[in-house]
Amino acid sequence: MSESGPNIAVLRFPGMNCEEETRRSVLATGASCDIFMWNGPTSTLADYDGYVLPGGFSYQDRVRAGAIAAKDRVVDCLFEQAERGKPVIGICNGAQILIEAGMVPGIRAGSVEMGLAHNIMPDRDGYYTRWTHVVVAHERCCATAALKPAETVPIPVAHAEGRFVTRDEGLVDRLFEAGQVVLTYGAPDGTPADGFPDNPNGSSRNIAGISNPAGNVVAMMPHPERSSWMFQLPDDLPGEWGRRRRHARGGDALFGPGPGLGVMSSLVRFIENNGKGA
Amino acid sequence: MTRTTARAARTVAIEEAGDDVLRLTLDAAGLSFTLDEARRIAELLGRDPTVVEAHIFNTMWSEHCSYKSSREVLKKYLPTEASNVVLGPGEDAGVVRFCEIDGTSYCIALAHESHNHPSQVVPNEGAATGIGGIVRDVYCMGADVIGVLDPLRFGDPVGRHAERTREIIHGVVEGIWQYGNALGVPNLGGDVYFDESFDDNCLVNVVAVGLVEEGDVVRSRAPAEAASVPYDLVLVGKPTDPSGFGGATFASRILDEEKAFDDKYAVQVPDPFLKRMLTVATQEVLKLLKARGVAVGYKDLGAGGIACVTSELGAAAGLGVRVDLSKVPVAVGGLLPEVIACSETQERYCLVVPRDVSAEVVRIFNEKFELPELCHGAAAVVVGEVIPEPRFILEHEGTVVCDASTEQITAGVCYERAQRRHERDVPEVGIPGDIDVADAVLRVLASPNIASREHIYRHYDSEVKGNTVVRPGEADACVVAPIPGERVGMAIAADGNPFLAALSPYEAGAAAVAEAVRNVAAVGAVPIALTDCLNFGNPEIAEVFQDFVDAVRGIGDAARGIGMKDSDEPIPVISGNVSFYNQSSAGNAVLPSPIVCAVGRVSDIAHHATLGMKSTGSSLLLVGERHGELGASAFMRTVAGGVGAGPPHVRADEERAMMAAVTDLIEAGLVRACHDISDGGMVVALAEMLLGSSPDTEIGADIGLGAVLPEGGAGVGGGVSGEGRRVAVDALAACELLFCENGGYLLEVDPADVERAIAVLAKRGAWHARIGRTTATSGLVVRADGIGDIVVSEGEMSGAWLNGATEVML
């Protein structure tokens, strides 16, 4: 870890499109950050303290969202780094890649145990964008370490395939019991979402983010880089953050940190807590 | 390049052919120009053209490429010059200065186009390639695209062709999100109208806006250096295939149901994945070329394909080009040279770079970004060179298939079309004297042309790039902070009410400008530029052409009349597009549809406004006199059952004063919420402000109709409070005040700031009145003596407004 904080790599797979703002969000925590090409020298990937897989449409969502990128050699390398305890956060398409690579939920690391299926929404199909109220269901993972238990964090979603599903009926229960369901969709007051649209995609038991058993790999659908500054929040947002956003109008507070920055800060906190190259 | 054989190219026999034979010859060759045009080509060349030359002229002389009907009209009426304009119309996108930070001048690049015919025939691909084409126009200026907008016009979703219309709506919306979201460009709104005149011709317009440092603007021309230093033409992108061959001519004729199957092949195939990779790779290439300090040219391939792009790159510099079509990567074997030269295969660019860096440029695309690995057959390849003599030479397998002067190829043709103003047959419509005004409010709110567009815009990613401040639905315009770390904001909105054009194309053109200006002003942005897309029927019909001319006059007059804030300059129209032949073979033409997009600058996004009410106990100010002109209003069409007469006249001086005052007020932090008055009139604006408030707070509005009367307000120097003023009105007068679509604004203001706000309005000479306040009881109350108070509950309003449009799109 350098003096200025940890060094994070944002991985760019062909077709991704959130690399730049994800990098800006990581930089806002004080960490260093590079964008790392999918065909870059894998030998240098190990030099980083943590990794973020951003959103987009890697390989055009061919076969299934995330399926092709999950087979890239850079993901093998990422897998090794994660096994050594380094944190990895996959956001949206990045989450789809981690699921397809078997890194999340990772009970049997490397085998695909879940899927991110197409959204199920009343009277509509395809892509859906909306601000959601994400509730911290477990705070010991690398995406929530700097957040409070049961804290409500408004973050927008934007996806067509974000519904966590599994064929193994008991798996979801086991994930909850093991503390691997780290983020869920809630109502603005933090109570569990009661269907659409607070749960924007029909995800099983409102799951918004899942970690591996060790908590160092997290797949989450909401986009924290779009909620990292107050000005990014809609001013009709309900809840406490919405009230703060409306009060920030006209002043410097509008350029202060937003709720989603807590996810990136968690990544840094997790590295600090666990030491470099744990 | 060397010529290996002297094999003669195939020619089209024009010079010796009589009319009948010539028509047969042209039809057999798939050439759509007139006999007269064919003979002019032979005359121009002094010989029969080769088949390739004939196809090039066919494309370049199409309405789509040549603007042969519209050019002179646009030149005559539209203001395109102002001190902030870097590049006006003529290149792929217009460029205007936006802001200066630490000595760096940042500019906005703006382009506007239509993809109407393709979207009618294959809605998904048509709409997707519409975005694909317009973003290329902005990228190739060296800009990064920071937003796209889609003004859409669909048929009647409950009309005679409801099923087909709903299929088109679904396909178009899907095409927009599938392409735009994957490309990673935020969707910043647009607008949607439904009318049966669009049953046979939907309109899918698309705007792209980009950010570029002034010093980084790349021209769509070979640099002057290419006259003395060797320059290569690098073609990059998708391998050329026959898709879109004839696309420009397809766009330049009326749609024919019987040919619909053939027409599908004139539509290109979208690939946002490849476009994203091309974008990232090209940004790296441009950075390298800048670091090397070399001048380059860059242009996207659109209509007319390789022939159009290479000839124009040369012609714009007064130079020539030589291209070997055999070097062009192709997706399938056996393509004829005219297909390689003119196909509109998507996702391609042409760069003009010095020969000593062309290999390095090719390597970045092909090796660093692995284009050939990512997309079958995609590559960057040197296909030709710039030559000093102004000739356009194409070779194919050793044969010269085109050899003409670049001037001849690119000069195009021009027509003076006949104009004839037609009497509009507008049946008289009466408003019943016993009309239930509260019921009328709900019916207008529920009408598909007024109701919430949430069903559509929630398909679009409006937040990618992380710079979005105001999203669709939250205000009259979207706002982004395009320079990370800086507080300057860009606001953008597109408008064009087609129903006004049913009464007056001139007012429709002027109103499109006025509304677009109001929309950006309503978020606190000062307008800096306009772009337009003009959608009309067949220009060979004198009445249609007259409509076109009138609409263009209206745009020009409003752009000059409103003008830029605190300046005597017009708001410049820096780019645009004309789409004719939006007419079916059955003769149904679309309502004349001039659509205008305005861009504005918010100097500090800490001070911007959205439309949702913020607090209870606020004062409500009406800005802009209600002239009671109900013609073509949503009220007339929905409640009275006809268009009526007398459309709202655009009073440019009033719009100018209001724009200046409202932007002053927002910048000074004196406005809690702001919404412009347009479709549906002030009562719809008020309802939308209530429905747009945060669900956390119960907010209603209580206004007095007496205050809304023209004499209730104040003009220059005034400051009359009409609040609480009770004047008896009848139902008709109430409807005129509440539903007329005369331009204006509603402001929510802290009572402590009202006097200051009124002083600013008075100083700017903007008509205004205090009409009421926000209350802690939800719903809307309009106090009206004579007919009794008009009361509408929040539940009724939201039910009507939220579901009205969704229901017809399922």
Side-chain angles (χ1 to χ4, degrees):
Chain A
M1 209 185 303
S2 69
E3 278 178 28
S4 62
N7 198 12
I8 308 295
V10 168
L11 270 63
R12 164 182 282 160
F13 292 89
M16 280 183 161
N17 56 29
C18 302
E19 306 95 298
E20 297 290 347
E21 58 268 36
T22 302
R23 177 169 175 271
R24 286 202 301 274
S25 180
V26 171
L27 289 174
T29 66
S32 310
C33 187
D34 296 321
I35 291 174
F36 193 94
M37 297 270 283
W38 77 97
N39 56 1
T42 47
S43 56
T44 61
L45 193 68
D47 296 344
Y48 294 92
D49 304 312
Y51 309 89
V52 182
L53 280 63
F57 291 69
S58 62
Y59 295 100
Q60 209 167 12
D61 284 356
R62 290 173 196 158
V63 185
R64 281 187 311 280
I68 306 286
K71 307 280 183 253
D72 258 337
R73 67 198 158 94
V74 73
V75 173
D76 293 338
C77 199
L78 194 69
F79 194 93
E80 284 168 28
Q81 296 303 313
E83 291 281 289
R84 295 175 52 195
K86 286 192 189 173
V88 183
I89 298 178
I91 299 165
C92 200
N93 189 227
Q96 292 161 337
I97 294 170
L98 294 178
I99 294 277
E100 289 288 338
M103 292 173 70
V104 172
I107 293 169
R108 283 168 294 127
S111 51
V112 181
E113 295 156 317
M114 295 195 88
L116 280 162
H118 64 87
N119 302 347
I120 293 184
M121 306 167 285
D123 289 339
R124 56 184 302 134
D125 55 14
Y127 209 85
Y128 189 62
T129 62
R130 186 181 194 90
W131 275 73
T132 60
H133 300 272
V134 180
V135 179
V136 176
H138 208 285
E139 70 287 357
R140 94 199 139 92
C141 77
C142 68
T144 56
L147 297 167
K148 290 193 268 304
E151 183 176 347
T152 305
V153 190
I155 307 180
V157 294
H159 57 249
E161 289 99 18
R163 185 167 50 97
F164 282 95
V165 290
T166 174
R167 238 179 288 179
D168 174 355
E169 284 183 12
L171 180 62
V172 170
D173 285 336
R174 291 204 299 281
L175 293 175
F176 269 99
E177 283 158 22
Q180 284 183 251
V181 175
V182 293
L183 298 167
T184 56
Y185 298 111
D189 63 2
T191 56
D194 183 17
F196 185 83
D198 284 340
N199 175 339
N201 52 29
S203 189
S204 176
R205 293 180 61 189
N206 295 331
I207 298 175
I210 290 185
S211 77
N212 67 347
N216 66 317
V217 185
V218 172
M220 61 184 289
M221 290 311 295
H223 282 268
E225 79 282 6
R226 300 179 182 188
S227 170
S228 292
W229 286 273
M230 287 300 282
F231 74 79
Q232 295 175 313
L233 274 61
D235 72 1
D236 58 357
L237 187 71
E240 173 57 21
W241 279 98
R243 196 188 57 76
R244 277 194 235 171
R245 164 66 180 81
R246 287 188 288 282
H247 276 266
R249 202 167 60 91
D252 293 343
L254 197 64
F255 305 91
L261 192 62
V263 172
M264 301 307 184
S265 303
S266 295
L267 180 67
V268 173
R269 176 77 61 85
F270 190 89
I271 293 166
E272 287 164 356
N273 289 348
N274 292 277
K276 185 185 170 186
Chain B
M1 254 172 270
T2 52
R3 247 170 266 188
T4 48
T5 67
R7 192 149 50 91
R10 291 167 295 135
T11 56
V12 180
I14 293 173
E15 287 187 309
E16 304 293 320
D19 284 1
D20 293 349
V21 173
L22 183 52
R23 188 70 263 166
L24 283 172
T25 306
L26 297 180
D27 287 348
L31 297 164
S32 61
F33 41 52
T34 63
L35 301 186
D36 200 34
E37 284 171 339
R39 294 196 171 105
R40 281 168 70 181
I41 290 163
E43 201 180 310
L44 200 63
L45 294 172
R47 58 175 167 79
D48 282 337
T50 66
V51 173
V52 172
E53 287 164 345
H55 276 280
I56 292 171
F57 278 108
N58 197 46
T59 304
M60 302 289 275
W61 285 16
S62 69
E63 188 68 57
H64 186 77
C65 290
S66 71
Y67 290 75
K68 58 189 171 191
S69 304
S70 61
R71 211 170 3 169
E72 293 303 315
V73 176
L74 300 173
K75 213 184 282 177
K76 185 169 172 190
Y77 294 113
L78 296 183
T80 56
E81 313 246 329
S83 52
N84 62 348
V85 176
V86 176
L87 287 174
E91 300 232 1
D92 294 282
V95 179
V96 66
R97 280 184 205 94
F98 176 58
C99 68
E100 193 171 313
I101 297 170
D102 299 333
T104 302
S105 169
Y106 289 90
C107 296
I108 291 293
L110 191 60
H112 198 168
E113 225 174 52
S114 63
H115 231 217
N116 304 339
H117 282 33
S119 303
Q120 181 73 22
V121 177
V122 273
N124 181 309
E125 290 80 356
T129 51
I131 297 185
I134 202 73
V135 297
R136 278 199 306 279
D137 285 334
V138 170
Y139 281 130
C140 78
M141 304 308 293
D144 187 30
V145 178
I146 57 173
V148 292
L149 295 85
D150 283 277
L152 307 173
R153 305 289 178 267
F154 296 121
D156 182 354
V158 292
R160 283 183 302 138
H161 305 289
E163 198 180 336
R164 172 80 182 131
T165 294
R166 290 181 192 212
E167 269 175 32
I168 290 172
I169 295 170
H170 192 267
V172 165
V173 171
E174 191 175 65
I176 290 169
W177 76 251
Q178 286 177 347
Y179 198 98
N181 296 3
L183 183 61
V185 170
N187 187 296
L188 301 181
D191 64 353
V192 184
Y193 284 93
F194 307 96
D195 181 72
E196 64 178 0
S197 82
F198 304 111
D199 278 2
D200 296 330
N201 285 274
C202 67
L203 302 184
V204 174
N205 286 188
V206 51
V207 177
V209 57
L211 181 78
V212 58
E213 289 180 24
E214 189 167 348
D216 292 349
V217 172
V218 183
R219 302 296 300 270
S220 312
R221 59 167 62 168
E225 288 84 342
S228 46
V229 182
Y231 264 72
D232 282 338
L233 299 171
V234 177
L235 179 71
V236 58
K238 205 171 175 180
T240 298
D241 58 35
S243 69
F245 180 61
T249 49
F250 163 54
S252 306
R253 62 170 169 78
I254 59 175
L255 280 179
D256 185 338
E257 279 295 320
E258 285 171 20
K259 283 190 184 162
F261 184 77
D262 297 339
D263 286 345
K264 288 186 183 176
Y265 295 97
V267 182
Q268 314 88 314
V269 181
D271 188 344
F273 169 69
L274 179 58
K275 176 68 74 40
R276 171 72 193 166
M277 294 316 291
L278 279 175
T279 301
V280 181
T282 306
Q283 280 166 349
E284 186 147 329
V285 166
L286 292 178
K287 217 177 283 174
L288 169 89
L289 296 170
K290 187 185 180 185
R292 295 285 165 82
V294 295
V296 297
Y298 183 28
K299 191 170 169 62
D300 79 301
L301 277 75
I306 293 170
C308 190
V309 73
T310 55
S311 62
E312 287 182 2
L313 279 165
L319 300 168
V321 293
R322 184 199 301 274
V323 176
D324 186 351
L325 296 173
S326 316
K327 290 190 175 166
V328 173
V330 288
V332 286
L335 292 184
L336 293 166
E338 57 270 28
V339 176
I340 301 175
C342 295
S343 118
E344 284 185 32
T345 305
Q346 286 282 291
E347 327 305 1
R348 297 181 299 168
Y349 291 101
C350 187
L351 282 143
V352 190
V353 296
R355 187 156 301 153
D356 57 6
V357 295
S358 59
E360 201 173 345
V361 166
V362 165
R363 255 200 313 277
I364 290 177
F365 285 114
N366 294 348
E367 292 173 26
K368 180 161 185 192
F369 284 88
E370 300 183 354
L371 285 190
E373 264 63 55
L374 298 179
C375 180
H376 187 71
V381 175
V382 174
V383 296
E385 61 182 346
V386 178
I387 55 176
E389 59 275 19
R391 294 208 67 78
F392 183 58
I393 301 166
L394 296 180
E395 298 179 8
H396 182 249
E397 293 175 353
T399 303
V400 173
V401 292
C402 170
D403 186 351
S405 89
T406 42
E407 174 62 18
Q408 285 168 353
I409 294 280
T410 57
V413 280
C414 205
Y415 285 109
E416 201 169 312
R417 300 284 188 199
Q419 305 172 26
R420 189 163 50 243
R421 192 158 284 130
H422 50 124
E423 283 304 312
R424 286 170 196 277
D425 179 25
V426 184
E428 241 178 70
V429 184
I431 302 167
D434 59 346
I435 189 164
D436 178 342
V437 182
D439 177 63
V441 170
L442 293 174
R443 283 169 65 191
V444 170
L445 279 175
S447 64
N449 279 310
I450 296 293
S452 167
R453 270 70 183 112
E454 180 172 355
H455 179 80
I456 293 178
Y457 65 69
R458 289 223 180 271
H459 285 100
Y460 303 157
D461 189 345
S462 294
E463 299 184 311
V464 65
K465 278 186 170 295
N467 299 327
T468 305
V469 182
V470 178
R471 285 142 287 265
E474 294 173 11
D476 290 309
C478 284
V479 180
V480 295
I483 309 167
E486 300 294 338
R487 289 180 165 208
V488 64
M490 185 219 55
I492 190 162
D495 296 280
N497 179 343
F499 301 108
L500 297 175
L503 295 179
S504 166
Y506 175 86
E507 292 291 352
V513 172
E515 191 183 349
V517 164
R518 279 200 307 278
N519 283 347
V520 296
V523 298
V526 175
I528 59 170
L530 303 171
T531 178
D532 61 359
C533 189
L534 307 161
N535 308 270
F536 291 82
N538 181 352
E540 297 158 43
I541 299 171
E543 288 81 1
V544 170
F545 197 69
Q546 181 73 55
D547 286 351
F548 166 74
V549 174
D550 288 346
V552 174
R553 272 197 312 116
I555 292 173
D557 285 354
R560 270 182 291 264
I562 300 172
M564 285 203 279
K565 186 179 176 181
D566 296 327
S567 152
D568 53 10
E569 293 189 295
I571 309 175
V573 180
I574 61 169
S575 56
N577 175 250
V578 180
S579 171
F580 283 128
Y581 300 97
N582 293 293
Q583 188 151 1
S584 71
S585 53
N588 306 321
V590 296
L591 281 173
S593 300
I595 296 174
V596 172
C597 171
V599 170
R601 180 184 56 243
V602 184
S603 53
D604 178 354
I605 55 163
H607 296 294
H608 71 270
T610 52
L611 64 76
M613 298 286 195
K614 304 297 184 298
S615 312
T616 57
S618 301
S619 290
L620 294 174
L621 299 185
L622 167 66
V623 181
E625 187 175 338
R626 302 298 83 206
H627 296 285
E629 291 156 339
L630 276 179
S633 65
F635 169 80
M636 291 303 286
R637 290 179 283 110
T638 308
V639 180
V643 174
H649 175 52
V650 173
R651 295 159 176 88
D653 51 341
E654 291 182 12
E655 296 284 353
R656 177 177 172 80
M658 293 192 287
M659 177 263 283
V662 167
T663 51
D664 278 354
L665 290 171
I666 296 171
E667 200 172 32
L670 296 174
V671 175
R672 285 177 168 166
C674 178
H675 193 8
D676 96 302
I677 299 171
S678 54
D679 298 20
M682 68 164 284
V683 72
V684 163
L686 197 54
E688 288 172 347
M689 291 175 82
L690 293 174
L691 297 171
S693 66
S694 170
D696 283 356
T697 332
E698 196 169 305
I699 304 181
D702 189 330
I703 67 164
L705 203 55
V708 179
L709 286 164
E711 59 274 24
V716 189
V720 176
S721 167
E723 207 174 348
R725 185 160 169 264
R726 307 207 57 129
V727 177
V729 290
D730 61 14
L732 177 62
C735 289
E736 282 178 352
L737 295 171
L738 293 173
F739 293 108
C740 78
E741 299 182 1
N742 295 111
Y745 302 78
L746 285 174
L747 306 178
E748 181 199 3
V749 177
D750 184 335
D753 292 331
V754 165
E755 293 308 324
R756 281 171 69 200
I758 281 178
V760 171
L761 288 159
K763 181 169 152 263
R764 287 292 191 176
W767 187 100
H768 58 276
R770 289 165 76 157
I771 59 166
R773 57 188 60 227
T774 58
T775 60
T777 314
S778 67
L780 173 61
V781 180
V782 181
R783 310 278 170 195
D785 283 1
I787 53 169
D789 294 348
I790 301 156
V791 181
V792 194
S793 79
E794 162 122 5
E796 290 171 316
M797 287 193 293
S798 70
W801 187 70
L802 287 176
N803 300 325
T806 307
E807 280 167 4
V808 302
M809 283 186 276
L810 297 177

